[in-house]
Each structure stands twice: as C-alpha cells, then as structure tokens.
Amino acid sequence: MRSDNVKTGVEHAPHRSLFNALGFTEEEMKKPMIGIVSSYNEIVPGHMNIDKIVNAVKLGVAEAGGVPVVFPAIAVCDGIAMGHVGMKYSLVTRDLIADSTECMALAHQFDGLVMVPNCDKNVPGLLMAAARINIPTVFVSGGPMLAGHVKGQKRSLSSMFEAVGAHAAGTMTEEDVCEFEQKVCPTCGSCSGMYTANSMNCLTEALGMGLRGNGTIPAVYSERLKLAKHAGMKVMEMLEKNIRPRDIMTKEAILNALTVDMALGCSTNSMLHLPAIAHEIGFDFDISFANPISEKTPNLCHLAPAGPTYMEDLNEAGGVYAVMKELADIGLLNLDCMTVTGKTVGENIKNAVNLNPEVIRPVDNPYSKTGGLAVLKGNLAPDGSVVKRSAVVPEMMVHEGPARVFDSEEDAIAAIKGGKIVAGDVVVIRYEGPKGGPGMREMLNPTSAIAGMGLGSSVALITDGRFSGASRGASIGHVSPEAAVGGPIALVKEGDIISINIPEMKLDLKVSDEELAKRKAEWKPIDKGEVTGYLARYRELVTSGNRGAVLEIK
C-alpha cells in the first residue's frame, strides 16, 4: 500500500505518532487509507448537501475495509459570482482545485480517492487532479437541483436571468420577477438544466469515472446517498484490481465523452474542460476535433436552456447510459474503454433502455443530425471559437450584421439594457479572455439580457470570454486568439460587418486583409489596471481558450 510510506516500519514511528493524534487504531493502521475530497461549503447551493454525500461515502469505504479520511476542495458558485469582478475568480479555481488536491493526496500518501464535487470548475479540477495523482479514484457528485415551478411551468436559473432582461424591456413586472426569484431554485443541487455543472457530471459517467446515475440522480433523492455508499465500496474494489484513472481516462474515453457531449447538448464550457483533462494525460486535444464528431453525432436531448426538459426528466428517461446506448447502437462509441465499475463501457450500457423518447430522442428521430456544439473558424477566429448550436434558433444559424463593440462585459450590459442594441446587431465583447479578463468571465448576464429584451432571435453575441451553460442563442465564445494578445477580435471596429455561418462552421469579419494588417500595426492593448495576487500569476501562465485555458510554464 502507498500509505505504508507513512505507516509501516520503525522509521515511520514519528508519522504513526501523528496518526495516533488523529485517533487511528492499530487496526486502522493496517488498512488502506482512502482520501475523500469533500467540496462541501455553505455558499454554493450545489454543495450545501455534500456533507451528507461524504458521510455516505465514508460508510461505503469503511464497510469495504478501508479507512476514510476527509479533506476539502474549494468551489465557487458561478451564479453568485456572475456579472461582477467575482467572475474573474471562477475558471481560475479549476487549477487551484487540481493543484491543492494533488498536494494533499501526495503529501499524505493516500491509497485511493473518492472525489465529491458538483459545480462548474470543481468537477473538471478534480478530474485533472485524478489524472495527475493516478491512484484508484471514483467520482460521486452532489447531484442536480430539481426544477422550479412558476405559473405552472418548470423553470430554472436561466429563466431568472432572462426575467431580469424582460423587466428591463418592460415586459415583466417587478412582482413577477420576485415570483421567479422565490421559485426557480427550489432545492439544493447543481442548477437544474444542462448547464456546465450538470454537463461535466454527466461527462464523468461518459468518461468512466463515475457510477451510473452520477450525472442525473437529483440531489434530494435518497438514491444519491446509496450511490455515494457504492462509490466508497467501489474504490476499494478498484484498489484491489489496481484500476487507475489513466487506465480509464484515455484518448478514446475523452473522445467518447465528446461524443456524448454532442448528443446531450452540453455547455460550451466542456470545450474548455475536456482539453484541460486531456492535457493531464498527455493527449493534445484540439477543439477542432469537435466538428467531425459533431457531424456524425445526432443531438438527442434539448434540456434547459435549449428546451423544456430538465435533469430530473433525463434521470427518469434512463440517464446518461440510455443516451450512450443510443449512440452505441449506431457505432459511435468505443465500447472497450475501462470504467470505475471494473467493466467496460459496452458491458455497463448493454442493458440500458430509453424510457422516454421525448426526453431522449432515438437516433432515428433526433433534434438534429449534428451534435450540440460547433467550432467556428475564419479571419475573426483563426484558432477557433465555440457555439452551442443546439440552443440557437434556426433563423440565427446564418447571420450577418454590424459589430457593436465593447471592451468589457459591463459596457455591453449597459448598452443592451439601455435599448441601444437593435435587431440585426452583432455584439462583440472583448478583452474578457483568459489573459484579458483575466479569468475568462462567463457572459450569462448579457446573453440573458438579449433574450429578455426579445432580441434572442435577431442579435448575435461574440466574445473571447465564455458563456454559462445557461446561455442560449447565437452566443459564440472562446474566440481565439483573444484580444489581449492582439487577436483579430481586438481589431474589430464599430459598424464592421460580421458574418456568422454555423452550418459551415465559419466566423468572418468582412474587412480586407490589408485593412486588418494596418489595424494590427496600429494596435495597442487596453490597460485594465494593475492585477495582483493569484490573478496576476494566472495571467502569466494561462494559454488561450482553444487550448482549454491550461496553465503552462513559459
């Protein structure tokens, strides 16, 4: 056992004295030590129940003959951090989480790990850590929130942000906004649509790192406590069989996850996180991989914000395994990939059944024949940009219009809510990329304001920042290279015509090469003021959005 490095032999008597201080018995000293990474806190709704999940994991580990030891991981609530300086501190936590978990696991020589994440950067950060540490590891999340109910309709957090936009447009009263406020987030859990947290929890199943139901069993269901106990038991089985994360998270598994992503209609943020996870196993993931996979993968689900169904509906319809079975039946998945169950993907999903063909469309009746995401390239995004095309209305799949240029999210929101954006416009928000933000803020406030103002089917938004999974419409993010390094998005001028063609995967600025070269020669980066602390270090090390915004030493 790895933990023998701190528990066995006379030379480790000092270490054992510290375990004695922890209350370890002689019997426990002889058993495998399993670290349980608890993301519990009292500020994130998706994490307020994780203490109960952790306790269930501890029971499962102990029942299977291990010694559970809990240590923490941080998590930011993207909804609370949205629309102000706090959003600069969201994406950057992914790497803090990975780094701190690596430190704790290796410093204390755990034999195995159970990761208990839930929200947006917490899940990929712990997946990155699992790949680095490479000891037997199982994931069990805190689970999704139940949908809210407002005026007889299911609703979620994206409805809340759009209600604010509707109020600004004068189409919703303050009393109605208050009703939304009280009802859209009715329980603990990760917000109830196919937003980033739920996307990544579902993809944890597709990667093979979580047990069946990890992505979809609601947070408030007792079934999730059973899942947590089984996760604790399963890590002990993995330890016995020596199945490790890098045996599971292979190149083939990551491409499986990308395929499932396309079918589910996941958040565009998965195109930041899958490359970052791939980076940890030495797989150079180019976001352009998305297009050939998207071209052959049908989009089977339209969960909020793309449609009227929610995570609880996906769970009742058979969950991620039912989606994977649909894809496997037409040969789109590698079925030989190993998983935390000790079985292959093919063995896991062979008996999965689609219980609701309206929630999970069969492959012969998809929402679209192509996947939920697309990577657009052109002279405005030479290294790529990402759009959730499954959440774009048909009339905006091809669009051309004048650029309305803003150098910060705040300036754009003021213009949108002030009625200065009109049908046909293309809103450009720049200097919000990984370096330019720094921190690559999510743009849920401006996308929701556009939708709430009734412009969702006539106005596009382009940014070198990123979008919440709750964003919908012609929202194109991760434009690379970003403005802060002199990418073409920095050269756009007010009124320039921008051409968007999602079916052809093109994003172009209708300005001549000669004019762009002239603007480039005259370009100077915008000074956003001094950046200090962790953000300053992050800005120095972070790569572009098309590479997953991973940190690299120059």
Side-chain angles (χ1 to χ4, degrees), residues 319-522:
V320 176
Y321 275 23
V323 175
M324 293 176 73
K325 183 64 163 57
E326 292 281 354
L327 298 174
D329 285 347
I330 55 172
L332 293 182
L333 294 181
N334 186 317
L335 301 181
D336 296 326
C337 293
M338 180 51 62
T339 73
V340 293
T341 66
K343 299 177 181 179
T344 64
V345 167
E347 291 173 310
N348 284 345
I349 68 173
K350 66 180 179 181
N351 296 321
V353 178
N354 181 354
L355 299 173
N356 189 335
E358 288 305 310
V359 176
I360 304 171
R361 290 278 186 92
V363 290
D364 58 1
N365 182 35
Y367 282 101
S368 66
K369 292 181 179 179
T370 53
L373 299 180
V375 172
L376 313 184
K377 288 190 174 183
N379 70 348
L380 187 51
D383 293 338
S385 61
V386 182
V387 63
K388 186 173 181 176
R389 65 175 162 191
S390 60
V392 179
V393 295
E395 54 266 41
M396 289 299 290
M397 296 296 278
V398 177
H399 180 76
E400 200 169 275
R404 306 298 310 279
V405 183
F406 304 95
D407 290 334
S408 74
E409 177 189 8
E410 289 82 359
D411 290 348
I413 291 170
I416 296 164
K417 291 186 175 178
K420 296 179 181 178
I421 303 301
V422 299
D425 285 349
V426 179
V427 176
V428 177
I429 305 178
R430 61 192 181 188
Y431 294 98
E432 292 285 7
K435 286 183 180 292
M440 204 177 187
R441 288 195 288 180
E442 285 185 345
M443 300 293 158
L444 180 56
N445 268 350
T447 59
S448 298
I450 287 169
M453 297 286 282
L455 298 170
S457 60
S458 60
V459 168
L461 193 153
I462 294 171
T463 181
D464 52 7
R466 60 193 179 90
F467 295 110
S468 163
S471 292
R472 62 186 176 96
S475 303
I476 301 166
H478 309 195
V479 171
S480 301
E482 62 174 292
V485 298
I489 192 171
L491 311 179
V492 181
K493 291 186 176 181
E494 186 80 9
D496 283 349
I497 300 300
I498 292 176
S499 173
I500 300 164
N501 192 318
I502 295 173
E504 294 185 8
M505 284 84 165
K506 291 182 179 178
L507 179 62
D508 287 302
L509 181 64
K510 303 197 94 174
V511 172
S512 69
D513 292 344
E514 292 78 14
E515 174 63 18
L516 284 177
K518 178 183 175 184
R519 293 183 188 180
K520 176 72 174 179
E522 297 170 350

Side-chain angles (χ1 to χ4, degrees), residues 228-270:
K229 291 174 186 176
H230 284 134
M233 296 174 193
K234 192 58 68 174
V235 76
M236 296 301 295
E237 184 182 317
M238 292 178 68
L239 184 61
E240 182 181 343
K241 295 179 178 178
N242 196 29
I243 300 173
R244 299 168 182 245
R246 285 184 214 158
D247 300 324
I248 296 169
M249 288 192 286
T250 60
K251 175 181 177 180
E252 292 75 20
I254 288 171
L255 295 179
N256 272 355
L258 182 55
T259 303
V260 174
D261 182 314
M262 295 298 174
L264 285 172
C266 289
S267 163
T268 52
N269 282 313
S270 63

Side-chain angles (χ1 to χ4, degrees), residues 47 78 91 94 115 117-129 139-144 190-191 193-211 213-216 224 249 253-254 256-258 260-262 264-278 285 303 311 314 320 324 373 388 442 466-469 478 548:
H47 292 235
D78 276 24
L91 178 60
R94 185 187 70 185
M115 307 290 201
N118 210 28
C119 287
D120 296 38
K121 312 310 166 300
N122 193 240
V123 182
L126 291 180
L127 285 166
M128 291 162 65
F139 276 68
V140 57
S141 78
S190 47
C191 294
M194 188 54 79
Y195 310 144
T196 306
N198 292 326
S199 295
M200 293 309 301
N201 281 319
C202 287
L203 295 186
T204 300
E205 281 190 64
L207 279 169
M209 290 297 293
L211 299 176
N214 182 60
T216 60
R224 184 155 288 276
M249 288 192 286
I254 288 171
N256 272 355
L258 182 55
V260 174
D261 182 314
M262 295 298 174
L264 285 172
C266 289
S267 163
T268 52
N269 282 313
S270 63
M271 294 304 291
L272 285 173
H273 302 322
L274 287 177
I277 296 162
F285 182 108
L303 284 85
M311 295 306 295
L314 179 59
V320 176
M324 293 176 73
L373 299 180
K388 186 173 181 176
E442 285 185 345
R466 60 193 179 90
F467 295 110
S468 163
H478 309 195

Side-chain angles (χ1 to χ4, degrees), residues 38-219:
S38 170
S39 305
Y40 170 76
N41 64 45
E42 295 183 342
I43 189 63
V44 185
H47 292 235
M48 62 184 284
N49 65 315
I50 279 178
D51 55 340
K52 296 175 179 62
I53 305 293
V54 166
N55 285 336
V57 173
K58 290 172 71 176
L59 287 171
V61 169
E63 174 124 350
V67 179
V69 182
V70 179
F71 65 89
I74 64 168
V76 162
C77 178
D78 276 24
I80 294 174
M82 195 74 63
H84 56 90
V85 69
M87 184 44 70
K88 294 177 184 287
Y89 288 91
S90 171
L91 178 60
V92 304
T93 65
R94 185 187 70 185
D95 297 271
L96 275 177
I97 290 161
D99 292 348
S100 60
T101 303
E102 174 191 357
C103 291
M104 289 293 288
L106 296 180
H108 301 107
Q109 293 293 286
F110 289 103
D111 297 300
L113 296 168
V114 180
M115 307 290 201
V116 191
N118 210 28
C119 287
D120 296 38
K121 312 310 166 300
N122 193 240
V123 182
L126 291 180
L127 285 166
M128 291 162 65
R132 286 185 204 173
I133 300 161
N134 201 35
I135 59 176
T137 303
V138 180
F139 276 68
V140 57
S141 78
M145 185 183 289
L146 293 177
H149 291 81
V150 183
K151 300 186 188 305
Q153 288 186 304
K154 284 186 177 181
R155 296 290 190 179
S156 61
L157 183 64
S158 55
S159 308
M160 182 72 255
F161 278 90
E162 290 179 15
V164 174
H167 179 260
T171 58
M172 183 176 285
T173 67
E174 190 171 343
E175 289 75 18
D176 283 337
V177 173
C178 185
E179 184 179 1
F180 271 77
E181 179 184 333
Q182 296 299 321
K183 294 180 178 179
V184 295
C185 296
T187 71
C188 61
S190 47
C191 294
S192 56
M194 188 54 79
Y195 310 144
T196 306
N198 292 326
S199 295
M200 293 309 301
N201 281 319
C202 287
L203 295 186
T204 300
E205 281 190 64
L207 279 169
M209 290 297 293
L211 299 176
R212 182 176 188 170
N214 182 60
T216 60
I217 298 170

